[in-house]
Amino acid sequence: MVIRYILFFALVSLSAQAQHSYLFPILPGENALLAGTFAELRPQHFHAGMDIKTQQREGLSVKCIERGYVSKIIVSRTGYGNAVFVKHTTGETSVYAHLQQFNPRITQYLRQQQLAQGTTEIMVNPKANLLPLQRGEELGLSGNSGGSMGPHLHFEIRNAQGLNVDPLNYSFKEVQDDIPPVMEALAIRTLSGDSRIQGRFGRMEYSLVREESPKPSVHLYRMRDTLRAIGEIGLELLAYDQSNGSSSKNGISCLEIHVDGRELHYHQLSQIPEAFTDDINIHTDYATYYETGKFFQRCYKADGNDRVPIYSTGSGKLRITNKAVHQVTLTIWDHFQNKTQLHLIVKGEATEGNSPDPNLRWSVEENWLVIKGSLPDSLNVYLPKGQQTLTAVYPGCYLWDLRKGLPDSLDAGTKRIRFNFVGTAYPQQQGKVLNDRLTLEWKPGSLYDTLYVMLQEKDGKLLVGEPTTPLKGKITIHYQPKSPISLYEKTALYREDKQSVFVGGHWKDGQLHAETRFFGTYYLATDTLAPTITPVSISSRQLRFKIRDNLSGIKSWKTRIGTETVILDYDEKNNLLFSEIREENHPFRGELKLEITDNSGNKATFGRPNLN
C-alpha cells in the first residue's frame, strides 16, 4: 500500500502543479497555519476542505486563487455562513466560506437578490461571467460567520466532477508539515457472537506506548502486551495530525493494516462526495463519539458502509483462529507523507474473562442483546411466544441473538428487565412500527444496517430508538397525544440534547408528523412567547439589535424604513441583527419597522417614528 499511496500522491501533485498553479487564498507567500485539514473527522460530516487560521481575527483580505466567475453565493446563519463559489476555466470550483463580508460588486448583486426574494438567508447562482474575478482579486474579507467556532477561512477545491478534493494536492508552499501523526488509542471490537477479546465480548480500548524511531519523519508505537483474541474482530484508531507551528489536531490522509506482511485494509481520504459526507457516522464508531466526543475511525468496513469510495476491497475484518499468532502493523500518513506505525502481536486464545462487573447493564451490539453483571448461571428470556433459558457465555455475560426473536423482558434473578422492542427494521425496505399512539416510519435508504427498534412513551417523553445509532437518511415520527392540544399551531416536537433542538412537524387530525435524522428522546412543547428585541444602536447610518427567543428559535425577520426594505444580517452566535453601514450621502430616512418571527409563529415588533 505504501507504494500505491506515494504513487497516487505523486501523480495527483504533479498533475495539480502542471495544470493549476493556484494562488494561496489568504496572505499568499506567507507561512500559513491550519486549523483543519481535508476529510478531518467532524460532527456529522467529513471536513470538505482546509481551515486556514487568520491570526485570531476577522477582516483579512481573501483572494481569488485563479481567474473565473462567481457561480454561487450563500448567506446562512449556519454551515458555510457567508460563502462564495468560483468556477474556473479548468472546470474546477473553489469555495471560500465563513466570510465577514463580500467585495462591493458581489454585495451589490447579493442585495438585489435578497430584496427580490424578501430574505436575508439565501443561496443564489449568478449567470456565468456575470461576476468575473481575476487571479488575486479580493472577493471578500475573512470572518467567523455561519457554523464557524472562531475566525478562519474555510477553503475548498472541487474537481470538474463536483467531488471535494484535498486542496493540499495543489502544492501550496505556504503550508509546511514535517510532523508525523499521533496515535492516541486503539480500540478492538468483537464482530460475531463467538468472538472474544481478552476473553470478553464487546469493545475494549487500549493505550499505546511511544517508541524511539530512527527517522524523525516516522513515529513508532506498540501495545503494552500481546493481544489475546478469538473469532472475528475489528480495529478502531484514535489519531490526529499536526502541522508546523499549529497546535490544532488535524485529520490523517491515509490508513492501512498489514497482517503478517499482507494488506488487510486501507482507506485513503483524498476525495469525498459531498452528498455522502454524513457517512462519517458509519466510518467512525458513532456510539463512542456520541458518548465521549472522540472520533475512533474504523479500520474496517462496517455493514451498510457502501457509499464513500475511499476503501480497499474486502471488509478489513480480522479473523483469529485458536493458537494462531499474527504480526499486525497499522500505518497512518498525513498529506505530506509523514508516517506513524503501530506494531502489535495478536494471539488466538479463548482465555476466560475477568470477574464480572457487579453493575447490571444491557445493550444491543450488532445482532446481539448483551447482558452483563453479577447474575445467576442462567437467565430466562421472555418472548411473545414463550420463553428461552440463557446460560452465561462466560461468567457475568449473556448473549441473546435478536434474529431469533425480540424479547419482552428478562428475569435477572431478583430483577425483571423490561424491553421496548417493537419490530425489526431492514435498510433497503420501507416499513413502520408502532407502540400505542407512537409510530416510527422509514424509507429505503434511511438505515445503514438492520435495526431492532425500541419505541416507548414514558413520562411525557417519546423514546425513539437508541441515540447511539446513526441514521443514513430521514425517518418520520407520528404521534397522537392522549389529550387534545389547546394550541396546535404553537406546539411542536423537540429533541433533547445539550440544548433542546426544535424539530417542528405538522398537525393533521390531532396527530403530529415530523421528520428527523436522529434517534433519541423527543417531547412536545408549546411556545407562546414572542422573541425579544433590544436595540443596541440606532442611527441614520446603521442599525444594531440583540434578538432572542426562549424556545423554538428565530425563524425570520423583516425591516422597513419608510418605503425602503432594508436587509439586516444575523449573527446567531452573538444574537446580533445588524445592517451594513450607510454612506453619509445615503442615510436611512423614515419610520423604522422591525418584525421578528420565531419557529412557532410568535411575532415581536420594534419601531421608531422617524430616522434622520
Side-chain angles (χ1 to χ4, degrees):
M1 171 56 192
V2 63
I3 296 175
R4 174 169 57 243
Y5 174 63
I6 293 174
L7 179 60
F8 173 86
F9 174 84
L11 288 174
V12 170
S13 296
L14 286 172
S15 174
Q17 284 182 302
Q19 298 178 34
H20 328 301
S21 179
Y22 287 144
L23 184 74
F24 199 67
I26 201 159
L27 298 175
E30 299 185 22
N31 288 338
L33 302 181
L34 298 185
T37 52
F38 181 77
E40 191 171 294
L41 309 178
R42 299 285 182 89
Q44 310 303 326
H45 69 287
F46 290 100
H47 192 228
M50 66 181 184
D51 290 342
I52 306 168
K53 293 188 177 184
T54 56
Q55 304 170 354
Q56 298 182 328
R57 61 191 177 100
E58 300 182 38
L60 298 186
S61 178
V62 178
K63 310 292 188 182
C64 186
I65 63 171
E66 187 53 89
R67 184 167 58 91
Y69 63 86
V70 176
S71 59
K72 183 186 294 185
I73 307 168
I74 294 176
V75 176
S76 173
R77 73 182 88 174
T78 61
Y80 284 120
N82 300 327
V84 173
F85 292 61
V86 179
K87 185 82 168 183
H88 302 287
T89 55
T90 61
E92 295 177 315
T93 298
S94 56
V95 182
Y96 315 78
H98 305 313
L99 300 176
Q100 181 192 73
Q101 63 187 60
F102 306 103
N103 75 20
R105 285 193 302 120
I106 297 174
T107 298
Q108 182 181 20
Y109 170 83
L110 176 65
R111 292 305 188 210
Q112 292 171 351
Q113 298 300 311
Q114 289 172 320
L115 289 170
Q117 297 187 29
T119 180
T120 299
E121 295 188 288
I122 197 171
M123 182 174 69
V124 291
N125 300 94
K127 292 181 179 179
N129 299 310
L130 178 65
L131 295 171
L133 289 167
Q134 299 302 315
R135 178 186 174 97
E137 183 177 352
E138 182 177 278
L139 54 81
L141 300 180
S142 67
N144 187 33
S145 59
S148 170
M149 301 303 291
H152 71 279
L153 175 68
H154 173 84
F155 173 65
E156 298 177 16
I157 295 179
R158 302 182 181 186
N159 65 18
Q161 290 72 45
L163 291 176
N164 293 97
V165 298
D166 189 347
L168 290 176
N169 288 342
Y170 296 82
S171 302
F172 292 114
K173 303 300 183 183
E174 288 80 358
V175 181
Q176 301 295 320
D177 179 5
D178 57 16
I179 304 172
V182 175
M183 292 185 178
E184 293 188 279
L186 182 73
I188 305 173
R189 179 186 292 277
T190 54
L191 297 177
S192 62
D194 59 357
S195 302
R196 302 290 182 269
I197 301 166
Q198 307 293 110
R200 304 180 74 83
F201 181 90
R203 181 180 180 275
M204 319 293 170
E205 287 187 17
Y206 298 90
S207 58
L208 304 174
V209 178
R210 172 86 179 275
E211 295 186 311
E212 290 189 13
S213 172
K215 297 180 180 180
S217 62
V218 179
H219 282 178
L220 300 176
Y221 289 82
R222 63 175 174 83
M223 287 187 63
R224 296 181 184 277
D225 300 299
T226 296
L227 178 70
R228 289 171 169 80
I230 199 78
E232 191 173 58
I233 61 174
L235 307 184
E236 302 174 356
L237 181 68
L238 181 65
Y240 65 88
D241 185 46
Q242 289 185 302
S243 57
N244 295 9
S246 176
S247 61
S248 298
K249 294 184 177 182
N250 303 142
I252 64 172
S253 293
C254 185
L255 178 151
E256 71 173 23
I257 297 176
H258 279 78
V259 179
D260 302 327
R262 293 187 176 184
E263 183 180 276
L264 174 70
H265 169 84
Y266 79 85
H267 59 256
Q268 186 167 306
L269 300 166
S270 57
Q271 56 185 30
I272 302 290
E274 185 181 18
F276 305 144
T277 186
D278 53 358
D279 279 359
I280 187 176
N281 293 332
I282 194 72
H283 174 76
T284 59
D285 184 334
Y286 184 79
T288 298
Y289 162 71
Y290 180 86
E291 293 169 346
T292 69
K294 295 179 179 179
F295 284 110
F296 277 83
Q297 53 185 306
R298 288 172 165 146
C299 307
Y300 62 95
K301 284 185 68 175
D303 295 341
N305 187 2
D306 55 9
R307 299 192 298 187
V308 180
I310 62 175
Y311 304 99
S312 57
T313 57
S315 68
K317 299 171 182 177
L318 182 58
R319 184 76 187 180
I320 308 297
T321 57
N322 191 34
K323 297 183 179 180
V325 178
H326 299 287
Q327 301 280 344
V328 179
T329 302
L330 197 159
T331 308
I332 57 176
W333 287 268
D334 63 19
H335 174 86
F336 293 88
Q337 301 178 59
N338 301 302
K339 181 172 72 173
T340 297
Q341 285 189 320
L342 166 66
H343 299 283
L344 62 147
I345 299 173
V346 182
K347 184 176 181 180
E349 189 174 299
T351 56
E352 188 171 290
N354 299 326
S355 300
D357 188 328
N359 298 315
L360 176 63
R361 63 193 188 278
W362 65 271
S363 61
V364 175
E365 304 284 344
E366 301 288 338
N367 295 310
W368 300 92
L369 175 63
V370 185
I371 304 100
K372 292 184 177 181
S374 294
L375 297 166
D377 292 336
S378 63
L379 304 176
N380 290 324
V381 176
Y382 297 94
L383 302 164
K385 296 182 179 180
Q387 70 178 61
Q388 295 282 339
T389 299
L390 284 184
T391 56
V393 294
Y394 59 82
C397 181
Y398 306 80
L399 301 179
W400 171 254
D401 189 343
L402 291 167
R403 291 167 292 191
K404 295 180 179 180
L406 302 180
D408 297 321
S409 62
L410 180 144
D411 187 358
T414 59
K415 186 173 183 179
R416 175 68 67 92
I417 301 175
R418 298 189 181 278
F419 305 107
N420 299 296
F421 293 110
V422 291
T424 303
Y426 300 99
Q428 300 306 322
Q429 299 178 18
Q430 182 172 337
K432 64 180 179 180
V433 290
L434 59 91
N435 186 348
D436 197 13
R437 297 183 303 275
L438 178 60
T439 301
L440 178 67
E441 186 175 6
W442 62 92
K443 298 178 181 179
S446 294
L447 314 175
Y448 283 109
D449 198 6
T450 300
L451 296 182
Y452 305 98
V453 183
M454 289 178 280
L455 206 60
Q456 183 186 17
E457 180 181 0
K458 182 180 180 181
D459 300 329
K461 303 291 180 68
L462 309 179
L463 310 182
V464 181
E466 284 293 302
T468 53
T469 300
L471 286 167
K472 195 173 188 177
K474 291 181 179 180
I475 56 175
T476 304
I477 297 171
H478 308 280
Y479 177 58
Q480 181 90 44
K482 187 175 182 179
S483 303
I485 302 295
S486 58
L487 293 170
Y488 284 105
E489 71 278 8
K490 304 290 186 183
T491 303
L493 191 68
Y494 293 78
R495 178 170 56 86
E496 286 189 351
D497 206 332
K498 294 177 182 178
Q499 295 181 334
S500 293
V501 178
F502 175 82
V503 178
H506 68 276
W507 292 92
K508 184 178 180 181
D509 299 328
Q511 187 177 49
L512 179 72
H513 310 272
E515 288 188 328
T516 180
R517 295 199 65 155
F518 297 93
F519 286 128
T521 300
Y522 292 82
Y523 64 96
L524 294 182
T526 302
D527 181 4
T528 60
L529 296 180
T532 61
I533 304 173
T534 304
V536 176
S537 62
I538 299 175
S539 72
S540 60
R541 296 193 61 194
Q542 190 182 34
L543 310 175
R544 294 170 67 87
F545 303 91
K546 286 282 189 178
I547 61 173
R548 291 181 173 85
D549 189 69
N550 72 308
L551 184 58
S552 61
I554 302 296
K555 180 181 181 181
S556 62
W557 56 96
K558 56 184 180 180
T559 311
R560 291 189 68 83
I561 299 179
T563 59
E564 178 186 3
T565 298
V566 177
I567 296 298
L568 299 186
D569 294 311
Y570 182 32
D571 177 359
E572 187 175 50
K573 291 188 287 290
N574 295 302
N575 303 307
L576 185 64
L577 198 64
F578 59 97
S579 72
E580 61 186 358
I581 300 175
R582 286 289 181 94
E583 299 291 339
E584 289 187 8
N585 61 356
H586 184 52
F588 295 121
R589 292 192 183 280
E591 182 182 6
L592 166 64
K593 294 181 179 180
L594 169 63
E595 181 181 271
I596 310 291
T597 305
D598 68 16
N599 283 302
S600 289
N602 302 301
K603 297 180 186 295
T605 59
F606 179 89
R608 284 284 174 88
N610 191 34
L611 291 181
N612 290 314

